[in-house]
Coordinates of all heavy atoms in Angstrom, one line a residue:
D1 N 1.1 53.5 9.9 CA 0.2 53.6 8.8 C -0.7 52.4 8.8 O -0.1 51.3 8.6 CB 0.9 53.9 7.5 CG 0.0 54.3 6.4 OD1 -1.0 54.9 6.6 OD2 0.4 54.0 5.2
W2 N -2.0 52.5 8.9 CA -2.8 51.3 9.0 C -2.9 50.5 7.7 O -3.2 49.3 7.6 CB -4.2 51.7 9.4 CG -5.0 52.5 8.4 CD1 -5.0 53.8 8.3 CD2 -5.8 52.0 7.4 NE1 -5.8 54.2 7.3 CE2 -6.3 53.1 6.7 CE3 -6.3 50.7 7.0 CZ2 -7.2 53.0 5.6 CZ3 -7.1 50.6 6.0 CH2 -7.6 51.7 5.3
E3 N -2.6 51.1 6.5 CA -2.6 50.4 5.3 C -1.5 49.4 5.1 O -1.6 48.4 4.4 CB -2.5 51.5 4.1 CG -3.7 52.3 4.0 CD -3.5 53.4 2.9 OE1 -2.5 53.5 2.3 OE2 -4.5 54.2 2.8
K4 N -0.4 49.6 5.9 CA 0.7 48.6 5.8 C 0.5 47.4 6.7 O 1.1 46.4 6.6 CB 2.0 49.3 6.2 CG 2.4 50.4 5.2 CD 3.7 51.0 5.6 CE 4.0 52.1 4.5 NZ 5.3 52.8 4.9
V5 N -0.5 47.5 7.6 CA -0.7 46.4 8.5 C -1.6 45.4 7.8 O -2.7 45.7 7.2 CB -1.5 46.9 9.8 CG1 -1.8 45.7 10.7 CG2 -0.6 47.9 10.6
R6 N -1.2 44.2 7.7 CA -1.9 43.1 7.0 C -2.2 42.0 8.0 O -1.3 41.5 8.6 CB -1.0 42.6 5.9 CG -1.8 42.1 4.7 CD -0.9 41.7 3.6 NE -1.2 40.3 3.4 CZ -0.3 39.4 3.1 NH1 1.0 39.8 3.0 NH2 -0.6 38.2 2.9
V7 N -3.4 41.6 8.0 CA -3.8 40.5 8.9 C -3.8 39.3 7.9 O -4.6 39.2 7.0 CB -5.2 40.7 9.5 CG1 -5.6 39.5 10.3 CG2 -5.2 42.0 10.4
G8 N -2.9 38.4 8.2 CA -2.8 37.2 7.3 C -3.3 35.9 8.0 O -3.3 35.8 9.3
A9 N -3.7 35.0 7.3 CA -4.1 33.7 7.8 C -2.9 32.8 7.9 O -2.0 32.9 7.1 CB -5.2 33.1 6.9
S10 N -3.0 31.9 8.8 CA -1.9 30.9 9.0 C -2.6 29.5 9.2 O -3.6 29.5 9.9 CB -1.0 31.3 10.1 OG -0.1 30.2 10.4
M11 N -2.0 28.5 8.7 CA -2.6 27.2 8.9 C -1.5 26.1 9.1 O -0.5 26.2 8.3 CB -3.5 26.8 7.7 CG -4.3 25.6 7.9 SD -5.4 25.2 6.5 CE -6.6 26.5 6.6
K12 N -1.7 25.3 10.0 CA -0.8 24.2 10.2 C -1.4 22.9 9.6 O -2.5 22.6 9.8 CB -0.5 23.9 11.7 CG 0.3 25.0 12.4 CD 0.5 24.8 13.8 CE 1.1 25.9 14.5 NZ 1.3 25.7 15.9
L13 N -0.6 22.2 8.8 CA -1.0 21.0 8.1 C -0.2 19.9 8.6 O 1.1 19.9 8.6 CB -0.9 21.2 6.6 CG -1.7 22.3 6.0 CD1 -1.3 22.4 4.5 CD2 -3.1 22.2 6.2
D14 N -0.8 18.8 9.1 CA -0.1 17.6 9.5 C -0.2 16.6 8.4 O -1.2 16.1 8.1 CB -0.8 17.1 10.8 CG 0.0 16.0 11.4 OD1 1.1 15.7 11.0 OD2 -0.6 15.3 12.3
V15 N 0.9 16.4 7.7 CA 1.0 15.6 6.5 C 1.6 14.3 6.9 O 2.7 14.2 7.5 CB 1.8 16.3 5.4 CG1 1.9 15.4 4.2 CG2 1.3 17.6 5.1
S16 N 0.9 13.2 6.6 CA 1.5 11.9 6.9 C 1.5 11.0 5.7 O 0.7 11.1 4.8 CB 0.7 11.2 8.0 OG -0.6 11.0 7.6
R17 N 2.4 10.1 5.7 CA 2.6 9.1 4.7 C 2.6 7.7 5.4 O 3.7 7.2 5.7 CB 3.8 9.4 3.9 CG 3.9 8.6 2.6 CD 5.0 9.2 1.7 NE 5.0 8.5 0.5 CZ 6.0 8.7 -0.4 NH1 6.9 9.6 -0.2 NH2 5.9 8.0 -1.5
P18 N 1.5 7.1 5.6 CA 1.4 5.8 6.4 C 2.3 4.7 5.8 O 2.8 3.9 6.6 CB 0.0 5.4 6.4 CG -0.8 6.7 6.0 CD 0.2 7.5 5.2
A19 N 2.4 4.6 4.5 CA 3.2 3.5 3.9 C 4.6 3.6 4.4 O 5.3 2.5 4.6 CB 3.1 3.6 2.4
K20 N 5.2 4.7 4.5 CA 6.6 4.9 5.0 C 6.7 5.3 6.4 O 7.8 5.5 6.9 CB 7.3 6.0 4.1 CG 7.4 5.5 2.7 CD 8.5 6.3 2.0 CE 8.6 5.8 0.6 NZ 9.9 6.1 0.0
K21 N 5.5 5.3 7.1 CA 5.5 5.7 8.5 C 6.2 7.0 8.8 O 7.0 7.1 9.8 CB 6.1 4.5 9.4 CG 5.3 3.2 9.3 CD 5.8 2.2 10.1 CE 5.0 0.9 9.9 NZ 5.5 -0.2 10.7
K22 N 5.9 8.0 8.0 CA 6.5 9.3 8.2 C 5.4 10.3 8.4 O 4.3 10.2 7.8 CB 7.3 9.7 7.0 CG 8.5 8.8 6.8 CD 9.6 9.4 6.1 CE 10.7 8.4 6.0 NZ 12.0 9.0 6.0
Q23 N 5.7 11.4 9.1 CA 4.8 12.4 9.4 C 5.5 13.7 9.5 O 6.6 13.8 10.0 CB 4.1 12.2 10.7 CG 3.0 13.1 11.1 CD 2.3 12.7 12.4 OE1 2.4 11.5 12.8 NE2 1.5 13.5 12.9
K24 N 4.9 14.8 9.0 CA 5.6 16.1 9.0 C 4.5 17.2 9.2 O 3.4 17.2 8.7 CB 6.2 16.3 7.6 CG 7.0 17.6 7.5 CD 7.7 17.7 6.1 CE 8.5 18.9 6.0 NZ 9.2 19.0 4.8
L25 N 4.9 18.2 10.0 CA 4.0 19.3 10.3 C 4.5 20.5 9.5 O 5.7 20.9 9.7 CB 4.0 19.6 11.8 CG 3.1 20.8 12.2 CD1 1.6 20.4 12.1 CD2 3.3 21.1 13.7
I26 N 3.7 21.1 8.7 CA 4.1 22.2 7.9 C 3.2 23.4 8.2 O 2.0 23.2 8.5 CB 4.1 22.0 6.4 CG1 2.8 21.5 5.9 CG2 5.2 21.0 6.0 CD1 2.7 21.3 4.4
E27 N 3.7 24.6 8.2 CA 2.9 25.8 8.5 C 2.9 26.7 7.2 O 4.0 27.0 6.7 CB 3.4 26.6 9.7 CG 2.5 27.7 10.1 CD 2.8 28.2 11.5 OE1 3.7 27.7 12.1 OE2 2.1 29.2 11.8
I28 N 1.7 27.0 6.8 CA 1.6 27.9 5.6 C 1.0 29.2 6.0 O 0.0 29.3 6.6 CB 0.8 27.2 4.5 CG1 1.4 25.9 4.1 CG2 0.6 28.1 3.3 CD1 0.7 25.1 3.1
D29 N 1.7 30.3 5.6 CA 1.3 31.6 6.0 C 0.7 32.4 4.8 O 0.2 33.5 5.0 CB 2.4 32.4 6.6 CG 2.9 31.8 7.9 OD1 2.0 31.3 8.7 OD2 4.1 31.9 8.2
D30 N 0.9 31.9 3.6 CA 0.5 32.6 2.4 C -1.0 32.3 2.1 O -1.4 31.2 1.9 CB 1.4 32.0 1.2 CG 1.1 32.8 -0.1 OD1 0.3 33.8 -0.1 OD2 1.8 32.5 -1.1
E31 N -1.7 33.4 2.1 CA -3.2 33.4 1.9 C -3.5 32.8 0.6 O -4.5 32.0 0.4 CB -3.8 34.8 2.0 CG -5.2 34.9 1.8 CD -6.1 34.4 2.9 OE1 -5.6 34.4 4.1 OE2 -7.2 33.9 2.7
K32 N -2.7 33.1 -0.4 CA -3.0 32.6 -1.8 C -2.9 31.0 -1.8 O -3.7 30.4 -2.5 CB -2.0 33.2 -2.8 CG -2.3 32.9 -4.2 CD -1.3 33.6 -5.1 CE -1.6 33.3 -6.6 NZ -0.6 33.9 -7.5
K33 N -1.9 30.5 -1.1 CA -1.7 29.0 -1.1 C -2.8 28.4 -0.3 O -3.3 27.3 -0.6 CB -0.4 28.7 -0.5 CG 0.8 29.1 -1.4 CD 2.1 28.7 -0.8 CE 3.3 29.2 -1.6 NZ 4.6 28.9 -1.0
L34 N -3.3 29.0 0.7 CA -4.3 28.5 1.6 C -5.7 28.4 1.0 O -6.5 27.6 1.4 CB -4.4 29.3 2.9 CG -3.2 29.1 3.9 CD1 -3.4 30.0 5.1 CD2 -3.1 27.7 4.3
R35 N -5.9 29.2 0.0 CA -7.2 29.1 -0.7 C -7.5 27.8 -1.3 O -8.7 27.4 -1.5 CB -7.2 30.2 -1.8 CG -7.3 31.6 -1.3 CD -7.4 32.6 -2.4 NE -7.2 33.9 -1.9 CZ -6.8 34.9 -2.6 NH1 -6.5 34.8 -3.8 NH2 -6.7 36.1 -2.0
A36 N -6.5 27.0 -1.6 CA -6.7 25.6 -2.1 C -7.4 24.7 -1.1 O -8.0 23.7 -1.6 CB -5.3 25.0 -2.5
V37 N -7.3 25.0 0.2 CA -7.9 24.1 1.1 C -9.2 24.7 1.7 O -9.9 24.0 2.5 CB -7.0 23.7 2.3 CG1 -5.9 22.8 1.8 CG2 -6.4 24.9 3.0
Y38 N -9.5 26.0 1.5 CA -10.7 26.6 2.0 C -11.9 26.0 1.3 O -11.9 25.6 0.1 CB -10.7 28.1 1.7 CG -9.8 28.9 2.6 CD1 -9.4 30.2 2.2 CD2 -9.2 28.4 3.7 CE1 -8.5 30.9 3.0 CE2 -8.4 29.1 4.5 CZ -8.0 30.4 4.1 OH -7.2 31.1 4.9
D39 N -13.0 25.9 2.0 CA -14.3 25.3 1.6 C -14.2 23.9 1.0 O -14.9 23.6 0.0 CB -14.9 26.3 0.5 CG -15.2 27.6 1.1 OD1 -15.6 27.7 2.3 OD2 -15.1 28.6 0.4
R40 N -13.3 23.2 1.5 CA -13.2 21.7 1.1 C -13.8 20.9 2.2 O -13.8 21.2 3.3 CB -11.7 21.3 0.9 CG -11.0 22.1 -0.2 CD -11.4 21.6 -1.5 NE -10.7 22.3 -2.5 CZ -10.0 21.7 -3.5 NH1 -9.9 20.4 -3.5 NH2 -9.4 22.4 -4.4
R41 N -14.3 19.7 1.8 CA -14.9 18.8 2.7 C -13.9 17.7 3.0 O -12.9 17.5 2.2 CB -16.1 18.2 2.1 CG -17.3 19.2 1.9 CD -18.5 18.4 1.4 NE -19.5 19.4 1.1 CZ -20.5 19.7 2.0 NH1 -20.5 19.2 3.2 NH2 -21.4 20.6 1.6
M42 N -14.1 16.9 4.0 CA -13.2 15.8 4.4 C -13.3 14.8 3.2 O -14.3 14.7 2.6 CB -13.7 15.2 5.7 CG -13.3 16.1 6.8 SD -13.7 15.4 8.4 CE -12.9 13.9 8.5
A43 N -12.2 14.1 3.0 CA -12.0 13.1 2.0 C -11.8 13.7 0.6 O -11.6 13.0 -0.4 CB -13.2 12.1 1.9
Q44 N -11.9 15.1 0.4 CA -11.6 15.7 -0.9 C -10.1 15.7 -1.0 O -9.3 15.7 0.0 CB -12.2 17.1 -1.0 CG -13.6 17.0 -1.2 CD -14.2 18.4 -1.5 OE1 -13.8 19.4 -0.9 NE2 -15.1 18.5 -2.4
E45 N -9.6 15.8 -2.2 CA -8.2 15.9 -2.5 C -7.8 17.3 -3.0 O -8.5 18.0 -3.6 CB -7.8 14.9 -3.6 CG -8.1 13.4 -3.1 CD -7.7 12.4 -4.2 OE1 -7.6 12.7 -5.4 OE2 -7.6 11.2 -3.8
V46 N -6.5 17.6 -2.6 CA -5.9 18.9 -2.9 C -4.6 18.7 -3.7 O -3.8 17.9 -3.2 CB -5.7 19.7 -1.6 CG1 -5.0 21.1 -2.0 CG2 -6.9 20.0 -0.8
D47 N -4.5 19.4 -4.8 CA -3.2 19.3 -5.5 C -2.1 19.9 -4.7 O -2.2 21.1 -4.3 CB -3.4 19.9 -6.9 CG -2.1 19.8 -7.8 OD1 -1.3 18.9 -7.5 OD2 -2.0 20.7 -8.6
G48 N -1.0 19.2 -4.5 CA 0.1 19.7 -3.7 C 0.8 20.9 -4.4 O 1.3 21.8 -3.7
G49 N 0.7 21.1 -5.7 CA 1.3 22.2 -6.3 C 0.6 23.5 -5.9 O 1.2 24.6 -6.0
D50 N -0.6 23.4 -5.5 CA -1.4 24.6 -5.1 C -0.9 25.1 -3.7 O -1.0 26.3 -3.4 CB -2.9 24.4 -5.0 CG -3.5 24.1 -6.3 OD1 -2.9 24.5 -7.3 OD2 -4.6 23.5 -6.4
L51 N -0.2 24.2 -2.9 CA 0.3 24.6 -1.6 C 1.7 25.1 -1.7 O 2.2 25.6 -0.7 CB 0.2 23.4 -0.7 CG -1.3 22.9 -0.4 CD1 -1.2 21.7 0.4 CD2 -2.1 24.0 0.3
G52 N 2.4 24.9 -2.8 CA 3.8 25.3 -2.9 C 4.5 24.5 -3.9 O 4.2 23.3 -4.1
D53 N 5.6 25.0 -4.4 CA 6.4 24.3 -5.4 C 7.1 23.0 -4.8 O 7.3 22.1 -5.6 CB 7.5 25.2 -6.0 CG 6.9 26.3 -6.9 OD1 5.8 26.1 -7.4 OD2 7.6 27.3 -7.0
E54 N 7.4 23.0 -3.5 CA 8.0 21.9 -2.9 C 7.1 20.7 -2.8 O 7.5 19.5 -2.6 CB 8.6 22.2 -1.5 CG 7.5 22.6 -0.5 CD 7.2 24.1 -0.5 OE1 7.5 24.8 -1.4 OE2 6.7 24.5 0.6
F55 N 5.8 20.9 -3.0 CA 4.8 19.8 -3.0 C 4.2 19.5 -4.3 O 3.2 18.7 -4.4 CB 3.6 20.2 -2.0 CG 4.1 20.5 -0.6 CD1 4.0 21.8 -0.1 CD2 4.7 19.5 0.2 CE1 4.4 22.1 1.1 CE2 5.1 19.8 1.4 CZ 5.0 21.1 1.9
K56 N 4.8 20.0 -5.4 CA 4.3 19.7 -6.7 C 4.5 18.2 -7.0 O 5.5 17.6 -6.7 CB 5.2 20.5 -7.7 CG 4.5 20.7 -9.1 CD 5.2 21.7 -9.9 CE 4.6 23.1 -9.6 NZ 5.0 24.1 -10.4
G57 N 3.4 17.6 -7.6 CA 3.4 16.2 -7.9 C 2.8 15.4 -6.8 O 2.5 14.2 -7.1
Y58 N 2.5 15.9 -5.7 CA 1.8 15.2 -4.6 C 0.3 15.6 -4.6 O -0.1 16.7 -5.1 CB 2.3 15.6 -3.2 CG 3.7 15.1 -3.0 CD1 4.8 15.9 -3.2 CD2 3.9 13.8 -2.5 CE1 6.1 15.5 -2.9 CE2 5.2 13.4 -2.3 CZ 6.3 14.2 -2.5 OH 7.6 13.8 -2.2
I59 N -0.5 14.7 -4.1 CA -1.9 14.9 -4.0 C -2.3 14.6 -2.5 O -1.9 13.6 -2.0 CB -2.8 14.0 -4.9 CG1 -2.5 14.3 -6.3 CG2 -4.3 14.2 -4.5 CD1 -3.2 13.4 -7.3
F60 N -2.9 15.6 -1.8 CA -3.2 15.5 -0.4 C -4.7 15.2 -0.3 O -5.5 15.8 -0.9 CB -2.8 16.8 0.3 CG -1.4 17.1 0.3 CD1 -0.9 18.1 -0.4 CD2 -0.5 16.3 1.1 CE1 0.5 18.4 -0.4 CE2 0.9 16.6 1.1 CZ 1.3 17.7 0.3
K61 N -5.0 14.3 0.7 CA -6.4 14.0 1.0 C -6.7 14.6 2.4 O -6.0 14.3 3.3 CB -6.6 12.5 0.9 CG -8.1 12.1 1.2 CD -8.2 10.6 1.0 CE -9.6 10.2 1.2 NZ -9.8 8.7 1.1
I62 N -7.8 15.3 2.4 CA -8.2 15.9 3.7 C -8.9 14.8 4.6 O -9.9 14.2 4.1 CB -9.2 17.1 3.5 CG1 -8.4 18.2 2.7 CG2 -9.7 17.6 4.8 CD1 -9.3 19.3 2.3
S63 N -8.3 14.5 5.7 CA -8.8 13.4 6.5 C -9.3 13.9 7.9 O -9.7 13.1 8.7 CB -7.8 12.3 6.7 OG -6.6 12.8 7.3
G64 N -9.2 15.2 8.2 CA -9.6 15.7 9.5 C -9.2 17.1 9.7 O -8.6 17.7 8.8
G65 N -9.5 17.7 10.8 CA -9.1 19.0 11.1 C -9.8 19.5 12.4 O -10.6 18.8 13.0
N66 N -9.4 20.7 12.8 CA -10.0 21.4 14.0 C -10.4 22.8 13.6 O -9.8 23.4 12.7 CB -9.0 21.4 15.1 CG -8.6 20.1 15.6 OD1 -9.1 19.1 15.2 ND2 -7.6 20.1 16.5
D67 N -11.4 23.4 14.3 CA -11.7 24.8 14.2 C -10.8 25.6 15.1 O -9.9 25.1 15.7 CB -13.1 25.1 14.4 CG -13.6 24.9 15.8 OD1 -12.8 24.5 16.7 OD2 -14.8 25.0 16.0
K68 N -11.0 26.9 15.2 CA -10.1 27.8 15.9 C -10.2 27.5 17.4 O -9.2 27.7 18.1 CB -10.6 29.2 15.8 CG -10.3 29.8 14.4 CD -10.7 31.2 14.3 CE -10.4 31.7 12.9 NZ -10.9 33.1 12.7
Q69 N -11.2 26.9 17.9 CA -11.3 26.5 19.3 C -10.9 25.1 19.6 O -10.9 24.7 20.7 CB -12.8 26.7 19.8 CG -13.2 28.2 20.0 CD -13.5 28.8 18.7 OE1 -14.0 28.2 17.7 NE2 -13.2 30.1 18.6
G70 N -10.5 24.4 18.6 CA -9.9 23.1 18.8 C -10.9 21.9 18.7 O -10.6 20.8 19.0
L71 N -12.2 22.3 18.3 CA -13.2 21.2 18.1 C -12.9 20.4 16.9 O -12.7 21.0 15.8 CB -14.6 21.8 18.1 CG -15.0 22.5 19.4 CD1 -16.3 23.2 19.3 CD2 -15.1 21.5 20.5
P72 N -12.9 19.1 16.9 CA -12.6 18.3 15.8 C -13.7 18.2 14.7 O -14.9 18.3 15.1 CB -12.3 16.9 16.4 CG -13.1 16.9 17.6 CD -13.2 18.3 18.1
M73 N -13.3 17.9 13.5 CA -14.3 17.6 12.4 C -14.7 16.2 12.5 O -14.0 15.4 13.1 CB -13.6 17.8 11.1 CG -13.2 19.2 10.7 SD -12.4 19.0 9.1 CE -12.0 20.7 8.8
K74 N -15.9 15.9 12.0 CA -16.4 14.5 11.9 C -16.9 14.3 10.5 O -17.8 15.1 10.0 CB -17.4 14.3 12.9 CG -18.0 12.9 12.9 CD -18.3 12.4 14.2 CE -18.9 11.0 14.2 NZ -17.9 10.0 13.8
Q75 N -16.4 13.3 9.8 CA -16.9 13.0 8.5 C -18.4 12.6 8.5 O -18.8 11.9 9.4 CB -16.1 12.0 7.8 CG -16.4 11.8 6.3 CD -15.3 11.0 5.6 OE1 -14.4 10.5 6.2 NE2 -15.5 10.9 4.3
G76 N -19.2 13.1 7.6 CA -20.6 12.8 7.5 C -21.5 13.8 8.0 O -22.7 13.7 7.9
V77 N -20.9 14.8 8.7 CA -21.8 15.9 9.3 C -21.7 17.0 8.3 O -20.7 17.7 8.1 CB -21.2 16.4 10.6 CG1 -22.1 17.5 11.2 CG2 -21.2 15.3 11.6
L78 N -22.8 17.2 7.6 CA -22.9 18.2 6.5 C -23.5 19.5 6.9 O -24.6 19.8 6.6 CB -23.7 17.6 5.3 CG -23.2 16.3 4.7 CD1 -24.1 15.8 3.6 CD2 -21.8 16.5 4.2
S79 N -22.7 20.2 7.7 CA -23.2 21.5 8.3 C -22.0 22.4 8.4 O -20.9 22.0 8.7 CB -23.8 21.3 9.7 OG -24.2 22.5 10.2
Q80 N -22.2 23.7 8.1 CA -21.2 24.7 8.2 C -21.1 25.2 9.6 O -20.1 25.8 10.0 CB -21.4 25.8 7.2 CG -21.4 25.4 5.8 CD -20.0 25.0 5.3 OE1 -19.0 25.5 5.8 NE2 -19.9 24.1 4.4
K81 N -22.1 25.0 10.4 CA -22.1 25.4 11.8 C -21.8 24.3 12.7 O -21.8 23.1 12.4 CB -23.5 26.0 12.1 CG -23.9 27.2 11.3 CD -25.2 27.8 11.7 CE -26.4 26.9 11.4 NZ -27.7 27.5 11.8
R82 N -21.6 24.6 14.0 CA -21.4 23.6 15.0 C -22.7 22.9 15.3 O -23.7 23.6 15.4 CB -20.8 24.2 16.3 CG -19.4 24.7 16.1 CD -19.0 25.2 17.5 NE -17.6 25.7 17.3 CZ -16.9 26.3 18.3 NH1 -17.5 26.5 19.4 NH2 -15.7 26.7 18.1
V83 N -22.6 21.6 15.5 CA -23.8 20.9 15.9 C -23.5 19.9 17.0 O -22.3 19.6 17.2 CB -24.4 20.0 14.7 CG1 -24.8 20.9 13.6 CG2 -23.3 19.1 14.1
R84 N -24.5 19.6 17.8 CA -24.3 18.6 18.8 C -24.7 17.2 18.3 O -25.8 17.1 17.7 CB -25.1 18.9 20.0 CG -24.7 20.1 20.8 CD -25.5 20.4 22.0 NE -25.1 21.6 22.6 CZ -24.6 21.6 23.9 NH1 -24.6 20.5 24.6 NH2 -24.2 22.7 24.4
L85 N -23.9 16.3 18.5 CA -24.1 14.9 18.0 C -24.4 14.0 19.2 O -23.8 14.1 20.2 CB -22.9 14.4 17.2 CG -22.5 15.1 16.0 CD1 -21.3 14.5 15.4 CD2 -23.6 15.2 15.0
L86 N -25.4 13.1 19.0 CA -25.7 12.1 20.0 C -25.1 10.8 19.5 O -25.6 10.2 18.5 CB -27.3 12.0 20.1 CG -27.8 11.8 21.5 CD1 -27.5 12.9 22.4 CD2 -29.3 11.5 21.4
L87 N -24.1 10.4 20.1 CA -23.4 9.2 19.7 C -23.6 8.1 20.8 O -23.6 8.4 22.0 CB -21.9 9.5 19.5 CG -21.6 10.5 18.5 CD1 -20.1 10.8 18.5 CD2 -22.1 10.1 17.1
T88 N -23.6 6.8 20.4 CA -23.6 5.7 21.3 C -22.2 5.4 21.7 O -21.2 5.7 21.1 CB -24.3 4.5 20.7 OG1 -23.6 4.1 19.6 CG2 -25.8 4.8 20.3
K89 N -22.1 4.7 22.8 CA -20.8 4.3 23.3 C -20.0 3.4 22.3 O -20.6 2.5 21.7 CB -20.9 3.5 24.6 CG -19.7 3.3 25.4 CD -19.9 2.7 26.7 CE -18.6 2.5 27.5 NZ -18.8 2.0 28.8
G90 N -18.8 3.8 22.1 CA -17.9 3.0 21.2 C -17.9 3.6 19.8 O -17.1 3.1 19.0
I91 N -18.7 4.5 19.5 CA -18.7 5.1 18.1 C -18.2 6.6 18.3 O -18.8 7.3 19.1 CB -20.1 5.1 17.5 CG1 -20.6 3.7 17.3 CG2 -20.1 5.9 16.2 CD1 -22.0 3.6 16.8
S92 N -17.2 6.9 17.6 CA -16.7 8.3 17.8 C -16.9 9.1 16.5 O -17.1 8.7 15.5 CB -15.2 8.3 18.1 OG -14.5 7.6 17.0

């Protein structure tokens, strides 16, 4: 029955805490929880309680990401589409 088939989103979040030199990879499959990070820009903050009860009280800052093909984000590029950047040597 096609009505029972549900296509869900999944997202892997790499959470780090530099002060304690700890890093954790979490995967969230719940579409409702993922809405908290959709349409956000880099350097914006996300309330941890929106991602799940285990993260209540934390605030996450978006510092990077990749699209489906693995192309990285770059802060300061204000475009929803892919763009080609002309960078000089030494600047990434």
Side-chain angles (χ1 to χ4, degrees):
D1 191 31
W2 69 272
E3 292 176 359
K4 293 181 182 177
V5 176
R6 209 177 119 221
V7 177
S10 175
M11 189 178 291
K12 291 180 184 177
L13 303 174
D14 189 10
V15 180
S16 65
R17 196 167 180 187
K20 295 199 175 204
K21 297 182 181 177
K22 297 204 177 212
Q23 184 174 348
K24 184 176 182 178
L25 182 68
I26 56 175
E27 188 167 354
I28 299 177
D29 294 327
D30 186 0
E31 178 75 26
K32 186 176 178 184
K33 291 178 183 178
L34 288 176
R35 288 182 189 155
V37 294
Y38 288 161
D39 296 326
R40 297 285 180 125
R41 295 183 185 267
M42 288 180 57
Q44 284 188 321
E45 294 179 345
V46 177
D47 182 24
D50 294 339
L51 299 174
D53 291 335
E54 64 269 23
F55 304 113
K56 200 169 271 190
Y58 291 98
I59 296 176
F60 297 108
K61 183 176 181 180
I62 299 173
S63 61
N66 298 353
D67 67 2
K68 290 181 182 179
Q69 286 76 31
L71 295 173
M73 293 180 178
K74 179 147 179 71
Q75 190 168 2
V77 179
L78 302 176
S79 175
Q80 296 293 328
K81 299 187 288 182
R82 290 184 181 176
V83 295
R84 289 182 183 240
L85 299 176
L86 216 63
L87 302 173
T88 60
K89 189 173 182 174
I91 298 175
S92 60

